[in-house]
PDB file of all heavy atoms in Angstrom:
ATOM      1  N   GLN A 247      14.584  13.547  -5.617  1.00  0.00           N
ATOM      2  CA  GLN A 247      15.671  14.327  -5.034  1.00  0.00           C
ATOM      3  C   GLN A 247      16.996  13.599  -5.213  1.00  0.00           C
ATOM      4  O   GLN A 247      18.006  14.215  -5.558  1.00  0.00           O
ATOM      5  CB  GLN A 247      15.433  14.562  -3.543  1.00  0.00           C
ATOM      6  CG  GLN A 247      14.346  15.561  -3.252  1.00  0.00           C
ATOM      7  CD  GLN A 247      14.031  15.605  -1.767  1.00  0.00           C
ATOM      8  OE1 GLN A 247      14.391  14.716  -1.007  1.00  0.00           O
ATOM      9  NE2 GLN A 247      13.353  16.655  -1.365  1.00  0.00           N
ATOM     10  N   GLN A 263      11.275   3.850 -13.267  1.00  0.00           N
ATOM     11  CA  GLN A 263      10.516   3.282 -14.380  1.00  0.00           C
ATOM     12  C   GLN A 263       9.526   2.233 -13.892  1.00  0.00           C
ATOM     13  O   GLN A 263       8.394   2.170 -14.364  1.00  0.00           O
ATOM     14  CB  GLN A 263      11.476   2.681 -15.411  1.00  0.00           C
ATOM     15  CG  GLN A 263      12.276   3.723 -16.155  1.00  0.00           C
ATOM     16  CD  GLN A 263      13.430   3.128 -16.948  1.00  0.00           C
ATOM     17  OE1 GLN A 263      13.865   1.993 -16.710  1.00  0.00           O
ATOM     18  NE2 GLN A 263      13.946   3.907 -17.893  1.00  0.00           N
ATOM     19  N   ARG A 269       2.132   2.539 -11.265  1.00  0.00           N
ATOM     20  CA  ARG A 269       1.103   3.588 -11.188  1.00  0.00           C
ATOM     21  C   ARG A 269       0.226   3.624 -12.432  1.00  0.00           C
ATOM     22  O   ARG A 269      -0.913   4.074 -12.372  1.00  0.00           O
ATOM     23  CB  ARG A 269       1.754   4.935 -10.943  1.00  0.00           C
ATOM     24  CG  ARG A 269       2.337   4.965  -9.541  1.00  0.00           C
ATOM     25  CD  ARG A 269       2.699   6.303  -9.094  1.00  0.00           C
ATOM     26  NE  ARG A 269       3.240   6.221  -7.744  1.00  0.00           N
ATOM     27  CZ  ARG A 269       4.055   7.092  -7.232  1.00  0.00           C
ATOM     28  NH1 ARG A 269       4.416   8.136  -7.941  1.00  0.00           N
ATOM     29  NH2 ARG A 269       4.498   6.951  -6.006  1.00  0.00           N
ATOM     30  N   ARG A 279      10.157  -6.385 -12.688  1.00  0.00           N
ATOM     31  CA  ARG A 279      11.354  -5.562 -12.894  1.00  0.00           C
ATOM     32  C   ARG A 279      12.062  -5.257 -11.581  1.00  0.00           C
ATOM     33  O   ARG A 279      13.292  -5.281 -11.502  1.00  0.00           O
ATOM     34  CB  ARG A 279      10.998  -4.263 -13.615  1.00  0.00           C
ATOM     35  CG  ARG A 279      10.656  -4.476 -15.063  1.00  0.00           C
ATOM     36  CD  ARG A 279      10.480  -3.188 -15.782  1.00  0.00           C
ATOM     37  NE  ARG A 279       9.977  -3.396 -17.123  1.00  0.00           N
ATOM     38  CZ  ARG A 279      10.041  -2.477 -18.067  1.00  0.00           C
ATOM     39  NH1 ARG A 279      10.560  -1.298 -17.816  1.00  0.00           N
ATOM     40  NH2 ARG A 279       9.559  -2.736 -19.258  1.00  0.00           N
ATOM     41  N   LEU A 280      11.279  -4.964 -10.556  1.00  0.00           N
ATOM     42  CA  LEU A 280      11.888  -4.692  -9.252  1.00  0.00           C
ATOM     43  C   LEU A 280      12.560  -5.946  -8.698  1.00  0.00           C
ATOM     44  O   LEU A 280      13.647  -5.860  -8.119  1.00  0.00           O
ATOM     45  CB  LEU A 280      10.846  -4.144  -8.275  1.00  0.00           C
ATOM     46  CG  LEU A 280      10.357  -2.722  -8.570  1.00  0.00           C
ATOM     47  CD1 LEU A 280       9.167  -2.374  -7.678  1.00  0.00           C
ATOM     48  CD2 LEU A 280      11.480  -1.704  -8.413  1.00  0.00           C
ATOM     49  N   PRO A 289      22.861  -8.634  -2.037  1.00  0.00           N
ATOM     50  CA  PRO A 289      22.854  -8.303  -0.613  1.00  0.00           C
ATOM     51  C   PRO A 289      23.900  -7.265  -0.204  1.00  0.00           C
ATOM     52  O   PRO A 289      23.780  -6.644   0.835  1.00  0.00           O
ATOM     53  CB  PRO A 289      23.114  -9.648   0.084  1.00  0.00           C
ATOM     54  CG  PRO A 289      23.719 -10.515  -0.946  1.00  0.00           C
ATOM     55  CD  PRO A 289      23.209 -10.029  -2.274  1.00  0.00           C
ATOM     56  N   TYR A 302       9.330   0.251  -2.609  1.00  0.00           N
ATOM     57  CA  TYR A 302       8.391   0.241  -3.728  1.00  0.00           C
ATOM     58  C   TYR A 302       7.947  -1.173  -4.095  1.00  0.00           C
ATOM     59  O   TYR A 302       6.839  -1.368  -4.587  1.00  0.00           O
ATOM     60  CB  TYR A 302       8.972   0.985  -4.930  1.00  0.00           C
ATOM     61  CG  TYR A 302       9.059   2.464  -4.643  1.00  0.00           C
ATOM     62  CD1 TYR A 302      10.273   3.089  -4.449  1.00  0.00           C
ATOM     63  CD2 TYR A 302       7.901   3.227  -4.509  1.00  0.00           C
ATOM     64  CE1 TYR A 302      10.342   4.435  -4.145  1.00  0.00           C
ATOM     65  CE2 TYR A 302       7.960   4.564  -4.206  1.00  0.00           C
ATOM     66  CZ  TYR A 302       9.189   5.163  -4.028  1.00  0.00           C
ATOM     67  OH  TYR A 302       9.237   6.498  -3.710  1.00  0.00           O
ATOM     68  N   LEU A 318       9.378  -4.243   5.830  1.00  0.00           N
ATOM     69  CA  LEU A 318      10.346  -4.506   6.903  1.00  0.00           C
ATOM     70  C   LEU A 318      11.771  -4.533   6.354  1.00  0.00           C
ATOM     71  O   LEU A 318      12.699  -4.029   6.990  1.00  0.00           O
ATOM     72  CB  LEU A 318      10.010  -5.819   7.614  1.00  0.00           C
ATOM     73  CG  LEU A 318       8.778  -5.769   8.517  1.00  0.00           C
ATOM     74  CD1 LEU A 318       8.376  -7.177   8.958  1.00  0.00           C
ATOM     75  CD2 LEU A 318       9.012  -4.862   9.723  1.00  0.00           C
ATOM     76  N   TRP A 334      33.136   4.628   1.951  1.00  0.00           N
ATOM     77  CA  TRP A 334      33.324   4.378   0.527  1.00  0.00           C
ATOM     78  C   TRP A 334      34.694   4.868   0.130  1.00  0.00           C
ATOM     79  O   TRP A 334      35.039   6.032   0.312  1.00  0.00           O
ATOM     80  CB  TRP A 334      32.243   5.077  -0.277  1.00  0.00           C
ATOM     81  CG  TRP A 334      32.359   4.801  -1.747  1.00  0.00           C
ATOM     82  CD1 TRP A 334      32.493   3.596  -2.340  1.00  0.00           C
ATOM     83  CD2 TRP A 334      32.348   5.757  -2.803  1.00  0.00           C
ATOM     84  NE1 TRP A 334      32.553   3.710  -3.696  1.00  0.00           N
ATOM     85  CE2 TRP A 334      32.465   5.046  -4.013  1.00  0.00           C
ATOM     86  CE3 TRP A 334      32.244   7.122  -2.857  1.00  0.00           C
ATOM     87  CZ2 TRP A 334      32.485   5.664  -5.248  1.00  0.00           C
ATOM     88  CZ3 TRP A 334      32.254   7.742  -4.097  1.00  0.00           C
ATOM     89  CH2 TRP A 334      32.373   7.011  -5.269  1.00  0.00           C
ATOM     90  N   GLY A 336      35.822   4.385  -3.015  1.00  0.00           N
ATOM     91  CA  GLY A 336      35.821   4.623  -4.453  1.00  0.00           C
ATOM     92  C   GLY A 336      36.389   3.450  -5.228  1.00  0.00           C
ATOM     93  O   GLY A 336      36.418   3.454  -6.433  1.00  0.00           O
ATOM     94  N   PRO A 346      23.544  10.974   0.442  1.00  0.00           N
ATOM     95  CA  PRO A 346      23.343  11.880   1.565  1.00  0.00           C
ATOM     96  C   PRO A 346      22.406  11.247   2.589  1.00  0.00           C
ATOM     97  O   PRO A 346      21.361  10.710   2.248  1.00  0.00           O
ATOM     98  CB  PRO A 346      22.702  13.111   0.924  1.00  0.00           C
ATOM     99  CG  PRO A 346      23.065  13.030  -0.523  1.00  0.00           C
ATOM    100  CD  PRO A 346      23.206  11.563  -0.829  1.00  0.00           C
ATOM    101  N   ALA A 362       2.694   0.759   9.255  1.00  0.00           N
ATOM    102  CA  ALA A 362       1.438   0.932   9.999  1.00  0.00           C
ATOM    103  C   ALA A 362       0.260   0.479   9.145  1.00  0.00           C
ATOM    104  O   ALA A 362      -0.644  -0.210   9.635  1.00  0.00           O
ATOM    105  CB  ALA A 362       1.269   2.387  10.430  1.00  0.00           C
ATOM    106  N   GLY A 367      -3.875  -3.489   7.894  1.00  0.00           N
ATOM    107  CA  GLY A 367      -4.483  -4.409   6.936  1.00  0.00           C
ATOM    108  C   GLY A 367      -4.466  -5.853   7.394  1.00  0.00           C
ATOM    109  O   GLY A 367      -5.281  -6.662   6.945  1.00  0.00           O
ATOM    110  N   ARG A 386       8.501  14.820  12.030  1.00  0.00           N
ATOM    111  CA  ARG A 386       8.868  16.102  12.651  1.00  0.00           C
ATOM    112  C   ARG A 386      10.276  16.531  12.264  1.00  0.00           C
ATOM    113  O   ARG A 386      10.598  17.722  12.314  1.00  0.00           O
ATOM    114  CB  ARG A 386       8.752  16.005  14.168  1.00  0.00           C
ATOM    115  CG  ARG A 386       7.336  15.930  14.653  1.00  0.00           C
ATOM    116  CD  ARG A 386       7.279  15.949  16.193  1.00  0.00           C
ATOM    117  NE  ARG A 386       6.004  15.439  16.627  1.00  0.00           N
ATOM    118  CZ  ARG A 386       5.831  14.367  17.386  1.00  0.00           C
ATOM    119  NH1 ARG A 386       6.874  13.710  17.844  1.00  0.00           N
ATOM    120  NH2 ARG A 386       4.631  13.969  17.723  1.00  0.00           N
ATOM    121  N   ARG A 395       3.865  17.773   4.619  1.00  0.00           N
ATOM    122  CA  ARG A 395       2.428  17.984   4.765  1.00  0.00           C
ATOM    123  C   ARG A 395       1.658  16.741   4.330  1.00  0.00           C
ATOM    124  O   ARG A 395       0.750  16.282   5.022  1.00  0.00           O
ATOM    125  CB  ARG A 395       1.969  19.200   3.944  1.00  0.00           C
ATOM    126  CG  ARG A 395       0.475  19.511   4.107  1.00  0.00           C
ATOM    127  CD  ARG A 395       0.012  20.608   3.161  1.00  0.00           C
ATOM    128  NE  ARG A 395       0.113  20.251   1.768  1.00  0.00           N
ATOM    129  CZ  ARG A 395      -0.722  19.420   1.136  1.00  0.00           C
ATOM    130  NH1 ARG A 395      -1.711  18.849   1.779  1.00  0.00           N
ATOM    131  NH2 ARG A 395      -0.565  19.147  -0.145  1.00  0.00           N
TER     132      ARG A 395
END
Side-chain angles (χ1 to χ4, degrees):
Q247 287 172 344
Q263 290 167 342
R269 291 194 180 155
R279 288 187 188 197
L280 289 171
Y302 291 109
L318 287 169
W334 182 50
R386 289 185 199 119
R395 183 187 64 75

